[in-house]
Amino acid sequence: MTSLEKNLAKAETYLARFRAEGVLNHINGASIPAQSGEVFEILSPVDGKVLAHVAKGDAADIDAAARAAAAAFPAWRDLSGVERRKILNDVADAIVERAEEIAFVEAMDTGQSIRFMGKAALRGAANFRFFADKAPEARDGQTIYAPGQINMTSRRPIGPIGVITPWNTPFMLSTWKIAPALASGCTVVHKPAEFSPMTAKLLVEIAESAGLPKGVWNVVNGLGEGAGKALTEHPDIKALALVGEGRTGSMIMKQAADTLKRVHFELGGKNPVIVFEDADIERAVDAAVFMIYSLNGERCTSSSRVLIQDSIYEEFTKRVAEKADAIKVGHPLDPETVVGPLIHPIHEKKVLSYFDIAKEDGATIAAGGVKVGDEGCYVRPTLFTNATNDMRIAQEEIFGPVLTAIPFKDKEEALAIANDTEYGLAAYIWTKDLTRALWMTDRLEAGMMWVNSENVRHLPTPFGGVKNSGIGRDGGDWSFDFYMETHNVCLATGDHHIPKLGG
Ligand code: NAD
């Protein structure tokens, strides 16, 4: 038996329950179908066959979930931070115990290769552990002195939160939003992406098995325009955290306006890797390749544009093309696979369309640019060269293993190209000249920048984008800023003069 065959057999044991019962909603501790009884299909990225049927929640299911979250809120809010820390650390332990199951289900649901999904499951546990340990300090505030008064601030959880997640690495991204919400004392209604909803169901079950009270975390599946829209409009939901596309953020802002919800958006990116001629070329090539071809390039912080100083452009792109050509595209459960199938035929069609757009616009396909096989959503890792930044391949988020290489002359031109995009999520700079690196980081329009590094996430640091890449920051204490309200108490420190009105 090959490792792939062994993994396939294992995956079937984990998927059996979903094949039998479908992907149900989870409300107030109970696994239930949609009230309407309706379901929708999810397709396997591997062969396009039906993977499972999913409860098609709508406004009625969102209402039940929001009520459950509102009912559970006072007790969860009033639990001490130390008690919440214990429960959330137990959730992290339970995730680690079931990490293999999570990784296998996620790989089959999303097409992401198992080599990355094992780590994503553990990263989910790390998110829980990090915010668990911050729970006891979540309500802390400041004292602010003024003559005649001392002010004391403290924070309180805002209430039930709506969390809406995308289909790429859904397990990790869900933990990233939900762990801080729970640590702060909020309760949650989660609407997972319709293309990859399976691990959201595993996650809530794991959390309850580890001691999370019923109703604190509820999951309603469904379409964006159905369950998603209803969640954004529900009056019991006090704040809404979205990870998704910019146009979805824009719709949600409008939908949430009537109930005056606080919103937090993590949206798309067209992130530049900027490589100067003095860079460590070997490391820069490896980082550029890693940041676009890992996770199928279906990653918000992927380096989808590489800007290369013209003196090293030929050499650099040649090396990237060689590496891209050597990458194994294959079944997500094959341990050798780097690039698995894209999430869905609709998304694959979008990615493939850019191969024609690149040619029409006059770019060269230096690697890939083709679909692999007739079955499943497999595409070769692709590199476009001879590109300019005004081309659609340099401006639009392709969200696949597709890299656009653009030459530049000097740092001023590199900066102008890097900033000439609607997005501003991440940027990567490669140079040994520290002054030049700082000149760039001071001017780049990006929420997160890495110098001489790929994206290495440190949980206490802020994560988020500028321009059309998002609103708000996650990570460290920034997450609590979103999930909590700050209250101020002013104490008079003397008998100050109070104006007398009316005699
Ligand atoms: P999407 O915006 O299409 O969908 C995201 C979620 O929003 C889904 O659950 C969907 O059902 C829901 N939704 C859609 N319309 C809605 C509506 N009107 N009301 C309420 N909910 C609605 O995004 P996607 O295609 O699933 O994910 C890919 C996108 O996510 C990319 O743009 C990617 O860059 C972005 N992303 C950003 C980050 C980040 O941290 N910045 C991380 C991961 C992904």
Side-chain angles (χ1 to χ4, degrees), residues 312-363:
I312 56 165
Y313 185 84
E314 290 304 323
E315 184 203 345
F316 196 95
T317 52
K318 185 166 166 278
R319 286 166 80 165
V320 172
E322 281 165 6
K323 288 195 182 257
D325 286 340
I327 283 175
K328 180 171 165 63
V329 176
H331 195 289
L333 294 184
D334 183 339
E336 300 296 314
T337 291
V338 173
V339 174
L342 300 178
I343 182 83
H344 193 276
I346 294 174
H347 184 60
E348 185 199 38
K349 197 170 163 209
K350 173 186 155 179
V351 173
L352 293 176
S353 75
Y354 283 96
F355 301 162
D356 291 332
I357 291 169
K359 285 185 245 165
E360 280 159 25
D361 285 356

Short mmCIF file of all heavy atoms in Angstrom, two decimals, residues 312-363:
data_model
loop_
_atom_site.label_atom_id
_atom_site.label_comp_id
_atom_site.label_asym_id
_atom_site.label_seq_id
_atom_site.Cartn_x
_atom_site.Cartn_y
_atom_site.Cartn_z
N ILE A 312 19.08 41.89 -11.84
CA ILE A 312 19.01 40.46 -11.46
C ILE A 312 17.70 39.81 -11.94
O ILE A 312 17.39 38.68 -11.59
CB ILE A 312 19.14 40.28 -9.92
CG1 ILE A 312 18.07 41.10 -9.17
CG2 ILE A 312 20.54 40.61 -9.44
CD1 ILE A 312 17.90 40.70 -7.72
N TYR A 313 16.92 40.55 -12.75
CA TYR A 313 15.59 40.06 -13.16
C TYR A 313 15.67 38.72 -13.89
O TYR A 313 14.94 37.77 -13.55
CB TYR A 313 14.90 41.12 -14.04
CG TYR A 313 13.48 40.77 -14.42
CD1 TYR A 313 12.42 41.05 -13.56
CD2 TYR A 313 13.20 40.15 -15.64
CE1 TYR A 313 11.11 40.73 -13.91
CE2 TYR A 313 11.89 39.83 -15.99
CZ TYR A 313 10.86 40.12 -15.13
OH TYR A 313 9.56 39.80 -15.48
N GLU A 314 16.57 38.63 -14.89
CA GLU A 314 16.64 37.40 -15.70
C GLU A 314 17.01 36.20 -14.84
O GLU A 314 16.37 35.16 -14.89
CB GLU A 314 17.68 37.55 -16.83
CG GLU A 314 17.27 38.52 -17.93
CD GLU A 314 15.93 38.17 -18.58
OE1 GLU A 314 15.65 36.97 -18.74
OE2 GLU A 314 15.15 39.10 -18.87
N GLU A 315 18.08 36.40 -14.03
CA GLU A 315 18.57 35.29 -13.20
C GLU A 315 17.50 34.87 -12.19
O GLU A 315 17.22 33.68 -12.00
CB GLU A 315 19.85 35.74 -12.47
CG GLU A 315 20.49 34.62 -11.66
CD GLU A 315 21.38 35.13 -10.53
OE1 GLU A 315 21.73 36.33 -10.53
OE2 GLU A 315 21.68 34.32 -9.64
N PHE A 316 16.87 35.86 -11.57
CA PHE A 316 15.90 35.57 -10.52
C PHE A 316 14.69 34.81 -11.09
O PHE A 316 14.27 33.79 -10.55
CB PHE A 316 15.45 36.88 -9.85
CG PHE A 316 14.76 36.68 -8.54
CD1 PHE A 316 15.47 36.77 -7.34
CD2 PHE A 316 13.40 36.40 -8.47
CE1 PHE A 316 14.83 36.58 -6.12
CE2 PHE A 316 12.75 36.20 -7.26
CZ PHE A 316 13.47 36.30 -6.08
N THR A 317 14.15 35.33 -12.18
CA THR A 317 12.94 34.69 -12.74
C THR A 317 13.27 33.29 -13.27
O THR A 317 12.43 32.38 -13.18
CB THR A 317 12.29 35.55 -13.84
OG1 THR A 317 13.30 35.90 -14.80
CG2 THR A 317 11.67 36.80 -13.27
N LYS A 318 14.49 33.12 -13.79
CA LYS A 318 14.89 31.79 -14.28
C LYS A 318 14.87 30.79 -13.11
O LYS A 318 14.36 29.67 -13.24
CB LYS A 318 16.30 31.89 -14.89
CG LYS A 318 16.81 30.64 -15.55
CD LYS A 318 18.04 30.97 -16.41
CE LYS A 318 18.78 29.73 -16.82
NZ LYS A 318 19.70 29.20 -15.81
N ARG A 319 15.40 31.23 -11.97
CA ARG A 319 15.45 30.31 -10.82
C ARG A 319 14.06 30.03 -10.26
O ARG A 319 13.77 28.91 -9.84
CB ARG A 319 16.38 30.89 -9.75
CG ARG A 319 17.83 30.74 -10.20
CD ARG A 319 18.78 31.56 -9.39
NE ARG A 319 19.11 30.93 -8.11
CZ ARG A 319 20.13 31.32 -7.36
NH1 ARG A 319 20.89 32.31 -7.73
NH2 ARG A 319 20.37 30.72 -6.22
N VAL A 320 13.20 31.05 -10.25
CA VAL A 320 11.83 30.81 -9.78
C VAL A 320 11.13 29.83 -10.72
O VAL A 320 10.46 28.88 -10.27
CB VAL A 320 11.02 32.14 -9.68
CG1 VAL A 320 9.55 31.85 -9.38
CG2 VAL A 320 11.60 33.05 -8.61
N ALA A 321 11.32 30.03 -12.03
CA ALA A 321 10.66 29.14 -13.01
C ALA A 321 11.14 27.70 -12.84
O ALA A 321 10.33 26.76 -12.88
CB ALA A 321 10.94 29.63 -14.43
N GLU A 322 12.43 27.52 -12.61
CA GLU A 322 12.97 26.15 -12.42
C GLU A 322 12.33 25.50 -11.20
O GLU A 322 11.93 24.34 -11.22
CB GLU A 322 14.49 26.20 -12.22
CG GLU A 322 15.26 26.37 -13.52
CD GLU A 322 16.71 26.78 -13.31
OE1 GLU A 322 17.18 26.83 -12.14
OE2 GLU A 322 17.36 27.08 -14.33
N LYS A 323 12.23 26.28 -10.13
CA LYS A 323 11.63 25.72 -8.90
C LYS A 323 10.15 25.43 -9.11
O LYS A 323 9.63 24.41 -8.66
CB LYS A 323 11.82 26.68 -7.73
CG LYS A 323 13.27 26.69 -7.28
CD LYS A 323 13.46 27.32 -5.91
CE LYS A 323 14.92 27.34 -5.56
NZ LYS A 323 15.34 26.33 -4.61
N ALA A 324 9.44 26.35 -9.79
CA ALA A 324 8.00 26.15 -10.04
C ALA A 324 7.80 24.86 -10.84
O ALA A 324 6.90 24.06 -10.54
CB ALA A 324 7.43 27.35 -10.78
N ASP A 325 8.68 24.65 -11.86
CA ASP A 325 8.54 23.46 -12.71
C ASP A 325 8.80 22.17 -11.93
O ASP A 325 8.33 21.10 -12.32
CB ASP A 325 9.51 23.54 -13.90
CG ASP A 325 9.04 24.55 -14.94
OD1 ASP A 325 7.84 24.88 -14.94
OD2 ASP A 325 9.88 25.01 -15.75
N ALA A 326 9.57 22.29 -10.83
CA ALA A 326 9.93 21.09 -10.06
C ALA A 326 8.92 20.76 -8.96
O ALA A 326 9.05 19.74 -8.28
CB ALA A 326 11.32 21.28 -9.46
N ILE A 327 7.94 21.62 -8.77
CA ILE A 327 6.98 21.40 -7.67
C ILE A 327 5.99 20.29 -8.03
O ILE A 327 5.48 20.25 -9.16
CB ILE A 327 6.23 22.73 -7.36
CG1 ILE A 327 7.15 23.64 -6.56
CG2 ILE A 327 4.91 22.48 -6.63
CD1 ILE A 327 6.59 25.03 -6.30
N LYS A 328 5.74 19.44 -7.06
CA LYS A 328 4.79 18.35 -7.32
C LYS A 328 3.36 18.81 -7.13
O LYS A 328 2.98 19.30 -6.05
CB LYS A 328 5.07 17.16 -6.40
CG LYS A 328 4.10 16.00 -6.66
CD LYS A 328 4.50 14.75 -5.91
CE LYS A 328 3.39 13.71 -5.85
NZ LYS A 328 2.93 13.15 -7.09
N VAL A 329 2.58 18.65 -8.18
CA VAL A 329 1.14 18.91 -8.11
C VAL A 329 0.47 17.55 -7.99
O VAL A 329 0.79 16.64 -8.76
CB VAL A 329 0.63 19.62 -9.40
CG1 VAL A 329 -0.88 19.80 -9.35
CG2 VAL A 329 1.34 20.96 -9.57
N GLY A 330 -0.41 17.38 -7.04
CA GLY A 330 -1.01 16.06 -6.92
C GLY A 330 -2.11 15.99 -5.88
O GLY A 330 -2.60 17.03 -5.40
N HIS A 331 -2.47 14.78 -5.55
CA HIS A 331 -3.54 14.52 -4.59
C HIS A 331 -3.18 15.16 -3.24
O HIS A 331 -2.04 15.00 -2.77
CB HIS A 331 -3.74 13.02 -4.43
CG HIS A 331 -5.04 12.67 -3.77
ND1 HIS A 331 -5.26 12.91 -2.43
CD2 HIS A 331 -6.18 12.13 -4.27
CE1 HIS A 331 -6.49 12.51 -2.13
NE2 HIS A 331 -7.07 12.04 -3.24
N PRO A 332 -4.11 15.83 -2.60
CA PRO A 332 -3.76 16.51 -1.35
C PRO A 332 -3.31 15.57 -0.23
O PRO A 332 -2.62 16.01 0.69
CB PRO A 332 -5.06 17.23 -0.95
CG PRO A 332 -6.15 16.63 -1.79
CD PRO A 332 -5.50 16.09 -3.01
N LEU A 333 -3.67 14.29 -0.32
CA LEU A 333 -3.26 13.36 0.74
C LEU A 333 -1.93 12.66 0.44
O LEU A 333 -1.46 11.87 1.25
CB LEU A 333 -4.35 12.31 0.98
CG LEU A 333 -5.66 12.85 1.54
CD1 LEU A 333 -6.63 11.70 1.81
CD2 LEU A 333 -5.46 13.67 2.80
N ASP A 334 -1.34 12.95 -0.72
CA ASP A 334 -0.02 12.41 -1.02
C ASP A 334 1.01 13.24 -0.27
O ASP A 334 1.08 14.46 -0.47
CB ASP A 334 0.22 12.49 -2.54
CG ASP A 334 1.55 11.87 -2.94
OD1 ASP A 334 2.45 11.76 -2.07
OD2 ASP A 334 1.70 11.54 -4.12
N PRO A 335 1.80 12.62 0.61
CA PRO A 335 2.75 13.41 1.42
C PRO A 335 3.75 14.21 0.58
O PRO A 335 4.32 15.18 1.05
CB PRO A 335 3.48 12.37 2.27
CG PRO A 335 2.66 11.13 2.18
CD PRO A 335 1.83 11.19 0.94
N GLU A 336 3.96 13.79 -0.69
CA GLU A 336 4.91 14.50 -1.56
C GLU A 336 4.29 15.75 -2.19
O GLU A 336 4.99 16.60 -2.73
CB GLU A 336 5.36 13.58 -2.72
CG GLU A 336 6.05 12.30 -2.29
CD GLU A 336 7.35 12.61 -1.58
OE1 GLU A 336 8.09 13.45 -2.09
OE2 GLU A 336 7.58 12.05 -0.48
N THR A 337 2.97 15.84 -2.18
CA THR A 337 2.30 16.95 -2.89
C THR A 337 2.58 18.29 -2.22
O THR A 337 2.52 18.41 -1.00
CB THR A 337 0.77 16.70 -2.91
OG1 THR A 337 0.53 15.58 -3.76
CG2 THR A 337 0.02 17.91 -3.44
N VAL A 338 2.88 19.28 -3.07
CA VAL A 338 2.99 20.66 -2.58
C VAL A 338 1.72 21.42 -2.97
O VAL A 338 1.08 22.06 -2.14
CB VAL A 338 4.24 21.36 -3.17
CG1 VAL A 338 4.26 22.84 -2.79
CG2 VAL A 338 5.50 20.67 -2.68
N VAL A 339 1.37 21.35 -4.26
CA VAL A 339 0.17 22.05 -4.73
C VAL A 339 -0.93 21.01 -4.99
O VAL A 339 -0.77 20.13 -5.83
CB VAL A 339 0.48 22.86 -6.01
CG1 VAL A 339 -0.80 23.46 -6.59
CG2 VAL A 339 1.48 23.98 -5.69
N GLY A 340 -2.02 21.13 -4.27
CA GLY A 340 -3.17 20.25 -4.46
C GLY A 340 -4.16 20.91 -5.41
O GLY A 340 -3.89 21.97 -5.98
N PRO A 341 -5.34 20.31 -5.57
CA PRO A 341 -6.33 20.91 -6.45
C PRO A 341 -6.91 22.19 -5.86
O PRO A 341 -7.01 22.30 -4.63
CB PRO A 341 -7.41 19.82 -6.55
CG PRO A 341 -7.25 19.03 -5.29
CD PRO A 341 -5.80 19.05 -4.95
N LEU A 342 -7.29 23.12 -6.71
CA LEU A 342 -7.94 24.34 -6.23
C LEU A 342 -9.32 23.98 -5.68
O LEU A 342 -9.88 22.93 -5.99
CB LEU A 342 -8.05 25.36 -7.36
CG LEU A 342 -6.71 25.80 -7.98
CD1 LEU A 342 -6.95 26.78 -9.14
CD2 LEU A 342 -5.81 26.43 -6.94
N ILE A 343 -9.87 24.88 -4.89
CA ILE A 343 -11.03 24.56 -4.07
C ILE A 343 -12.25 24.07 -4.84
O ILE A 343 -12.95 23.18 -4.38
CB ILE A 343 -11.42 25.81 -3.22
CG1 ILE A 343 -12.61 25.53 -2.30
CG2 ILE A 343 -11.77 27.01 -4.10
CD1 ILE A 343 -12.27 24.88 -1.04
N HIS A 344 -12.52 24.63 -6.04
CA HIS A 344 -13.82 24.39 -6.67
C HIS A 344 -13.71 24.71 -8.17
O HIS A 344 -12.93 25.60 -8.54
CB HIS A 344 -14.85 25.33 -6.01
CG HIS A 344 -16.27 25.02 -6.33
ND1 HIS A 344 -16.89 25.47 -7.47
CD2 HIS A 344 -17.21 24.32 -5.65
CE1 HIS A 344 -18.15 25.06 -7.48
NE2 HIS A 344 -18.37 24.35 -6.39
N PRO A 345 -14.49 24.04 -9.02
CA PRO A 345 -14.42 24.32 -10.46
C PRO A 345 -14.65 25.81 -10.79
O PRO A 345 -14.05 26.34 -11.72
CB PRO A 345 -15.53 23.45 -11.05
CG PRO A 345 -15.70 22.34 -10.07
CD PRO A 345 -15.37 22.90 -8.72
N ILE A 346 -15.50 26.48 -10.02
CA ILE A 346 -15.74 27.91 -10.29
C ILE A 346 -14.45 28.71 -10.09
O ILE A 346 -14.09 29.57 -10.89
CB ILE A 346 -16.85 28.47 -9.36
CG1 ILE A 346 -18.19 27.81 -9.67
CG2 ILE A 346 -16.95 29.99 -9.47
CD1 ILE A 346 -19.30 28.22 -8.69
N HIS A 347 -13.76 28.38 -8.99
CA HIS A 347 -12.52 29.10 -8.72
C HIS A 347 -11.43 28.70 -9.72
O HIS A 347 -10.66 29.55 -10.19
CB HIS A 347 -12.05 28.84 -7.28
CG HIS A 347 -10.84 29.62 -6.91
ND1 HIS A 347 -10.82 31.00 -6.94
CD2 HIS A 347 -9.59 29.24 -6.55
CE1 HIS A 347 -9.61 31.43 -6.60
NE2 HIS A 347 -8.85 30.38 -6.36
N GLU A 348 -11.40 27.43 -10.08
CA GLU A 348 -10.40 26.99 -11.06
C GLU A 348 -10.59 27.73 -12.38
O GLU A 348 -9.62 28.18 -13.01
CB GLU A 348 -10.53 25.48 -11.29
CG GLU A 348 -9.45 24.95 -12.21
CD GLU A 348 -9.79 23.62 -12.83
OE1 GLU A 348 -10.97 23.39 -13.19
OE2 GLU A 348 -8.89 22.81 -12.98
N LYS A 349 -11.85 27.91 -12.78
CA LYS A 349 -12.14 28.61 -14.05
C LYS A 349 -11.58 30.03 -13.98
O LYS A 349 -10.98 30.53 -14.95
CB LYS A 349 -13.66 28.63 -14.24
CG LYS A 349 -14.07 28.94 -15.63
CD LYS A 349 -15.57 28.70 -15.79
CE LYS A 349 -16.03 29.41 -17.05
NZ LYS A 349 -17.38 29.85 -17.01
N LYS A 350 -11.76 30.67 -12.82
CA LYS A 350 -11.25 32.03 -12.65
C LYS A 350 -9.72 32.04 -12.80
O LYS A 350 -9.16 32.85 -13.54
CB LYS A 350 -11.66 32.58 -11.27
CG LYS A 350 -11.03 33.93 -10.95
CD LYS A 350 -11.32 34.39 -9.53
CE LYS A 350 -10.22 35.36 -9.10
NZ LYS A 350 -10.37 35.90 -7.77
N VAL A 351 -9.05 31.12 -12.10
CA VAL A 351 -7.58 31.10 -12.16
C VAL A 351 -7.11 30.82 -13.58
O VAL A 351 -6.21 31.52 -14.11
CB VAL A 351 -7.01 30.05 -11.16
CG1 VAL A 351 -5.50 29.89 -11.33
CG2 VAL A 351 -7.35 30.46 -9.72
N LEU A 352 -7.72 29.84 -14.26
CA LEU A 352 -7.30 29.49 -15.62
C LEU A 352 -7.50 30.68 -16.58
O LEU A 352 -6.72 30.86 -17.52
CB LEU A 352 -8.09 28.28 -16.13
CG LEU A 352 -7.82 26.94 -15.44
CD1 LEU A 352 -8.74 25.85 -15.98
CD2 LEU A 352 -6.37 26.52 -15.59
N SER A 353 -8.53 31.50 -16.31
CA SER A 353 -8.82 32.61 -17.23
C SER A 353 -7.64 33.60 -17.28
O SER A 353 -7.43 34.26 -18.30
CB SER A 353 -10.11 33.33 -16.82
OG SER A 353 -9.87 34.14 -15.68
N TYR A 354 -6.86 33.67 -16.20
CA TYR A 354 -5.74 34.61 -16.19
C TYR A 354 -4.58 34.16 -17.08
O TYR A 354 -3.73 34.97 -17.44
CB TYR A 354 -5.25 34.85 -14.75
CG TYR A 354 -6.18 35.79 -14.01
CD1 TYR A 354 -7.19 35.29 -13.19
CD2 TYR A 354 -6.09 37.16 -14.18
CE1 TYR A 354 -8.07 36.14 -12.54
CE2 TYR A 354 -6.97 38.03 -13.54
CZ TYR A 354 -7.95 37.50 -12.71
OH TYR A 354 -8.82 38.36 -12.08
N PHE A 355 -4.56 32.88 -17.48
CA PHE A 355 -3.51 32.45 -18.41
C PHE A 355 -3.73 33.11 -19.77
O PHE A 355 -2.79 33.55 -20.42
CB PHE A 355 -3.48 30.91 -18.52
CG PHE A 355 -3.23 30.21 -17.20
CD1 PHE A 355 -3.52 28.87 -17.04
CD2 PHE A 355 -2.70 30.90 -16.11
CE1 PHE A 355 -3.29 28.22 -15.82
CE2 PHE A 355 -2.46 30.27 -14.89
CZ PHE A 355 -2.76 28.93 -14.76
N ASP A 356 -5.00 33.19 -20.19
CA ASP A 356 -5.31 33.87 -21.47
C ASP A 356 -5.14 35.38 -21.33
O ASP A 356 -4.61 36.03 -22.23
CB ASP A 356 -6.76 33.56 -21.88
CG ASP A 356 -6.91 32.10 -22.27
OD1 ASP A 356 -5.91 31.53 -22.73
OD2 ASP A 356 -8.00 31.54 -22.08
N ILE A 357 -5.59 35.91 -20.18
CA ILE A 357 -5.48 37.36 -19.96
C ILE A 357 -4.01 37.78 -20.03
O ILE A 357 -3.65 38.79 -20.64
CB ILE A 357 -6.11 37.75 -18.60
CG1 ILE A 357 -7.62 37.55 -18.65
CG2 ILE A 357 -5.76 39.19 -18.21
CD1 ILE A 357 -8.31 37.65 -17.29
N ALA A 358 -3.12 36.98 -19.42
CA ALA A 358 -1.68 37.30 -19.42
C ALA A 358 -1.16 37.39 -20.85
O ALA A 358 -0.45 38.33 -21.21
CB ALA A 358 -0.92 36.24 -18.63
N LYS A 359 -1.54 36.39 -21.66
CA LYS A 359 -1.05 36.37 -23.06
C LYS A 359 -1.61 37.56 -23.84
O LYS A 359 -0.87 38.24 -24.55
CB LYS A 359 -1.46 35.06 -23.74
CG LYS A 359 -0.60 33.87 -23.27
CD LYS A 359 -0.95 32.62 -24.05
CE LYS A 359 -1.54 31.57 -23.13
NZ LYS A 359 -2.20 30.47 -23.67
N GLU A 360 -2.92 37.81 -23.65
CA GLU A 360 -3.54 38.96 -24.36
C GLU A 360 -2.85 40.27 -24.01
O GLU A 360 -2.68 41.14 -24.85
CB GLU A 360 -5.03 39.06 -24.00
CG GLU A 360 -5.92 38.09 -24.74
CD GLU A 360 -7.24 37.88 -23.99
OE1 GLU A 360 -7.64 38.78 -23.22
OE2 GLU A 360 -7.84 36.80 -24.16
N ASP A 361 -2.47 40.40 -22.73
CA ASP A 361 -1.85 41.65 -22.28
C ASP A 361 -0.37 41.74 -22.64
O ASP A 361 0.27 42.76 -22.37
CB ASP A 361 -2.03 41.82 -20.76
CG ASP A 361 -3.45 42.21 -20.39
OD1 ASP A 361 -4.24 42.43 -21.33
OD2 ASP A 361 -3.76 42.31 -19.19
N GLY A 362 0.20 40.66 -23.19
CA GLY A 362 1.60 40.72 -23.66
C GLY A 362 2.62 40.17 -22.68
O GLY A 362 3.83 40.32 -22.90
N ALA A 363 2.18 39.52 -21.59
CA ALA A 363 3.14 38.91 -20.66
C ALA A 363 3.56 37.55 -21.22
O ALA A 363 2.94 37.01 -22.13
CB ALA A 363 2.51 38.76 -19.29
#
